[in-house]
Amino acid sequence: VAAQAAIALPDLLLGLWLTGVATAAVLTLLAHHRGVARFGRLSAKGETLRAAHNGLGPAMIGVLRPRLVLPADFEARFDAREQALILAHEAHHARFGDTRINGLVSVVCCLNWFNPLVHLAAFLLRVDQELACDAAVVERFPGERRTYAQALLKSQLACVPLPLGCTWPGRSPHLLQERLTMLAFKTPGRTRLLAGGALVATLCLGTAAVAWA
């Protein structure tokens, strides 16, 4: 009896894990489908897609073939300078394959549905993606910080969660304040970047050494 119980426990845990993975995958796909459905009927306009509703977007959707979705009132809500800055932001997402990264992260979250630290890391990764795009836009247009901040405020009208896309995660005032505050910082130089990279690498190696020991 003890031997049978010992064999049954791993099978039970495996079944529970597989059930959780399947449930998490279904919930992720449903959440993405609901997010895309909120745009309404998408119409192609050149290389981009246009939402049927106002105030939704911009956002990147699609893992294998990322497409930019612009709100129906894109030209009315944003002026010419703001439009250029927003397109530069989304182009940075496309250039570095952020939608593909988010798709892979969604798979990791499904496999680790029981681990809250993985879900927290996925959330923070999305925040860092947006901050990295902001930094790239500010570096390219250093004199347009105020205009870019205004565009960010206008783009917060509605939140569209897209697990398999790129959009600002949530409408938290704290996150928006952090994003706007970062715009006031000067772009770090090469020396500062190298020092930061060396510090992060040292911390990672030290933590790995302690864990291995």
Side-chain angles (χ1 to χ4, degrees):
V1 173
Q4 291 179 353
I7 295 176
L9 181 59
D11 295 337
L12 179 62
L13 293 177
L14 178 61
L16 178 63
W17 174 72
L18 291 176
T19 302
V21 171
T23 303
V26 171
L27 292 177
T28 298
L29 293 176
L30 288 177
H32 183 77
H33 177 73
R34 285 195 298 265
V36 174
R38 291 187 60 185
F39 291 114
R41 184 180 179 85
L42 297 176
S43 57
K45 187 176 181 180
E47 296 296 325
T48 63
L49 299 174
R50 186 59 61 101
H53 305 301
N54 297 335
L56 295 177
M60 296 289 295
I61 62 173
V63 176
L64 299 179
R65 187 188 176 191
R67 301 289 297 275
L68 172 60
V69 179
L70 297 176
D73 59 344
F74 183 65
E75 288 79 7
R77 181 150 52 106
F78 303 100
D79 60 32
R81 292 189 303 168
E82 293 170 346
Q83 293 176 30
L85 296 173
I86 289 174
L87 293 177
H89 176 102
E90 301 301 334
H92 192 272
H93 276 307
R95 178 185 176 187
F96 286 89
D98 285 346
T99 58
R100 296 183 177 89
I101 293 174
N102 290 339
L104 178 61
V105 169
S106 295
V107 173
V108 174
C109 288
C110 291
L111 295 176
N112 296 272
W113 56 268
F114 55 88
N115 191 342
L117 294 180
V118 173
H119 297 279
L120 176 62
F123 173 80
L124 295 178
L125 180 141
R126 284 180 171 267
V127 174
D128 284 345
Q129 281 182 345
E130 298 300 325
L131 294 177
C133 289
D134 293 345
V137 172
V138 169
E139 183 178 4
R140 182 178 173 185
F141 303 95
E144 299 287 350
R145 293 174 184 263
R146 182 180 180 84
T147 303
Y148 188 60
Q150 293 174 345
L152 290 180
L153 290 173
K154 292 181 182 180
S155 66
Q156 295 297 310
L157 295 180
C159 175
V160 182
L162 295 171
L164 304 179
C166 290
T167 185
W168 183 239
R171 301 176 63 185
S172 169
H174 172 71
L175 294 177
L176 179 59
Q177 181 181 4
E178 177 185 1
R179 198 173 179 182
L180 295 175
T181 301
M182 293 292 291
L183 296 179
F185 294 159
K186 293 183 179 180
T187 303
R190 182 179 298 273
T191 302
R192 187 175 174 185
L193 290 175
L194 291 175
L199 177 61
V200 171
T202 301
L203 291 175
C204 290
L205 291 175
T207 303
V210 172
W212 181 262

